[in-house]
Amino acid sequence: MSTNPIPIPIPIPHQLEVASLRAARRRRAALLGEIHLLEQALAAPARDPWWRNRVGDRLGGLRGAFTEHMVVTEGPEGLYAELLDHAPRLTRGVHALIREHAAVEATMAALQRRVDLPEIAVSELRDWTTDLLRELSRHRQRGADLVYEAYQTDIGGET
């Protein structure tokens, strides 16, 4: 008869709390702000002659925030390096998040090109953008779950 040990929370060193975890929290909040701005632009009436421009601008803001998110998480001093130092068992999850970064980045670049094409229907742009937002939501949740699994702490969702 085998029993699974109860996981013991790993204490978070003070320098980690100050450095990578706080940076990740800030980037997470900024990313969420850009997501909300894109949602607002997308929900505006499409007959507005500036609708595409606004959606494109907000998508550009989201892309910038996502790039910052990748720097803070993937960099040599980033959150993922810290996670792997403290919880190497999470290697598979960290690598999955890094692969998701590349996929999300490619999706955003393709969508940005499509927004600039007047022959693309608004309904299609809305569908593709909604898919992107759904993908980002799932990615953010997987990242939060991974941090929680490593440190048993919540990095915040709606700060």
Side-chain angles (χ1 to χ4, degrees), residues 53-65:
N53 290 345
R54 285 192 194 106
V55 170
D57 288 348
R58 295 302 6 128
L59 182 58
L62 177 60
R63 289 179 73 190

Side-chain angles (χ1 to χ4, degrees):
M1 177 176 185
S2 155
T3 61
N4 291 330
I6 297 173
I8 298 171
I10 300 168
I12 301 174
H14 178 57
Q15 65 272 21
L16 174 61
E17 176 62 28
V18 171
S20 62
L21 203 53
R22 282 195 185 169
R25 281 185 174 125
R26 281 192 307 276
R27 293 309 330 143
R28 185 176 175 81
L31 185 60
L32 183 62
E34 291 295 334
I35 288 169
H36 288 310
L37 290 172
L38 178 57
E39 287 172 337
Q40 290 171 357
L42 198 64
R47 291 184 187 259
D48 179 339
W50 297 102
W51 184 87
R52 281 180 189 268
N53 290 345
R54 285 192 194 106
V55 170
D57 288 348
R58 295 302 6 128
L59 182 58
L62 177 60
R63 289 179 73 190
F66 194 74
T67 297
E68 288 296 317
H69 161 76
M70 290 189 315
V71 168
V72 167
T73 55
E74 290 185 27
E77 303 294 321
L79 180 62
Y80 295 165
E82 294 284 351
L83 280 175
L84 293 177
D85 282 348
H86 294 286
R89 72 187 186 284
L90 300 177
T91 299
R92 181 177 295 174
V94 166
H95 289 295
L97 290 173
I98 291 169
R99 283 190 306 276
E100 286 177 16
H101 285 168
V104 168
E105 193 172 39
T107 299
M108 285 192 284
L111 183 56
Q112 189 83 60
R113 288 188 300 274
R114 291 173 178 159
V115 167
D116 295 334
L117 299 174
E119 64 270 16
I120 303 287
V122 167
S123 61
E124 288 181 295
L125 290 174
R126 282 188 166 140
D127 288 346
W128 290 326
T129 306
T130 301
D131 290 344
L132 168 66
L133 293 170
R134 192 175 311 114
E135 188 177 350
L136 280 168
S137 177
R138 287 190 295 254
H139 174 75
R140 287 169 40 83
Q141 188 59 59
R142 282 189 287 271
D145 290 346
L146 198 68
V147 169
Y148 188 84
E149 189 174 341
Y151 301 113
Q152 294 194 351
T153 188
D154 186 1
I155 64 171
E158 280 55 83
T159 308

